[in-house]
Amino acid sequence: EEHSTEDPGESELEGTTVVFTWDADEEEYVPTFLEEDGDEDLLVDLAFQGYLWDALPDGEVEEGDRWEVGADFFDVLSEPCGDLHFVLESEDGEDEDDDWGEQFSDNLEGEFYVTYAGTRDEDGVTVAVFTLEAEVSTEIVKEEEIDEEIQGESISGTTSSTFSFDFEMEGELLWNIAANRPYHVTFNGDVEFEIDQESEVETPGGELTQTQVQMFEGTVELTTSYE
């Protein structure tokens, strides 16, 4: 059955200006607020990857040339500025601090290719066109303790859940040649999502093991515009 949900969110970064400055000692870009005072915790996990330079070739290319950029570029497209600290309505006003996103990124594997498809005019702007192709997967593992009382009887144990994702995606990166930065990105495709859950509990009647598998499939659509 088809199912659709909406979970809007907000970030306290909205309305602020963040500057990334190169730190030669740390060999990385460090974010700071430009003028206004802000919550320094909001700068944690921001990343200077929004320009998508990782997609560009190392040298000169001709139309039709194709190269691999690695599965982790999927994460760059999904969060081009890192963690923007969005708080979703479903999170009751608190930015959840767990390792879900970290596991998603760390466990990415697969293939991601970029092909140079020439140039074209896009609303009066000359852009270089790069087509994107990706087949990537990842998984997240969660462990949870069970300690409940049901109808006066104590039940304890553990639940192990594995969330697996398989993406088959394609898209297009338009590069503003004059400004030397991205202009627009579309990245769409199919996803298969599986939840494998195994629970082992101790009850007054003995040990109980339960295995549950849920499988879902759907589509992913990502659009990013640069101003």
Side-chain angles (χ1 to χ4, degrees):
E1 296 182 6
E2 293 187 3
H3 181 66
S4 177
T5 61
E6 293 185 7
D7 196 4
E10 296 181 351
S11 171
E12 292 183 28
L13 285 168
E14 186 172 358
T16 67
T17 302
V18 175
V19 176
F20 288 87
T21 305
W22 178 252
D23 186 320
D25 294 331
E26 298 294 334
E27 296 187 345
E28 63 180 15
Y29 285 96
V30 177
T32 55
F33 290 107
L34 178 61
E35 297 176 352
E36 60 279 333
D37 293 328
D39 184 352
E40 296 294 322
D41 290 340
L42 295 173
L43 300 177
V44 176
D45 295 327
L46 290 183
F48 189 67
Q49 58 191 23
Y51 276 97
L52 309 182
W53 287 326
D54 291 341
L56 301 182
D58 292 332
E60 294 184 3
V61 293
E62 297 180 353
E63 187 171 340
D65 285 351
R66 183 172 184 255
W67 57 93
E68 188 170 6
V69 295
D72 56 349
F73 191 66
F74 180 92
D75 205 32
V76 175
L77 283 180
S78 301
E79 293 188 320
C81 295
D83 184 359
L84 295 179
H85 300 280
F86 278 102
V87 178
L88 304 179
E89 286 186 357
S90 63
E91 296 172 349
D92 296 326
E94 294 185 4
D95 188 4
E96 290 190 351
D97 183 18
D98 60 29
D99 65 347
W100 177 280
E102 185 175 344
Q103 286 195 55
F104 186 98
S105 301
D106 291 345
N107 296 331
L108 277 170
E109 59 182 23
E111 299 178 333
F112 201 129
Y113 291 94
V114 179
T115 302
Y116 175 55
T119 63
R120 72 169 184 246
D121 180 86
E122 193 77 15
D123 297 327
V125 178
T126 301
V127 298
V129 181
F130 300 94
T131 60
L132 312 171
E133 307 167 77
E135 290 188 18
V136 299
S137 61
T138 189
E139 69 174 26
I140 297 99
V141 178
K142 292 290 186 180
E143 303 284 344
E144 187 176 1
E145 297 290 332
I146 301 173
D147 188 9
E148 300 178 356
E149 187 171 312
I150 301 178
Q151 296 181 348
E153 296 182 345
S154 178
I155 297 176
S156 62
T158 59
T159 296
S160 177
S161 302
T162 301
F163 305 85
S164 304
F165 298 84
D166 291 291
F167 298 92
E168 188 171 341
M169 307 282 290
E170 62 183 15
E172 190 175 70
L173 162 62
L174 305 181
W175 188 271
N176 186 327
I177 297 175
N180 193 27
R181 60 170 175 78
Y183 181 77
H184 189 77
V185 178
T186 56
F187 194 50
N188 309 313
D190 300 320
V191 58
E192 294 181 355
F193 173 41
E194 183 173 311
I195 305 174
D196 295 299
Q197 189 175 70
E198 184 170 305
S199 301
E200 296 182 355
V201 297
E202 290 281 352
T203 71
E207 287 189 3
L208 174 65
T209 299
Q210 176 178 302
T211 301
Q212 184 179 41
V213 179
Q214 302 176 68
M215 291 175 287
F216 308 87
E217 60 181 23
T219 58
V220 177
E221 299 180 6
L222 183 149
T223 302
T224 306
S225 296
Y226 292 77
E227 298 180 354

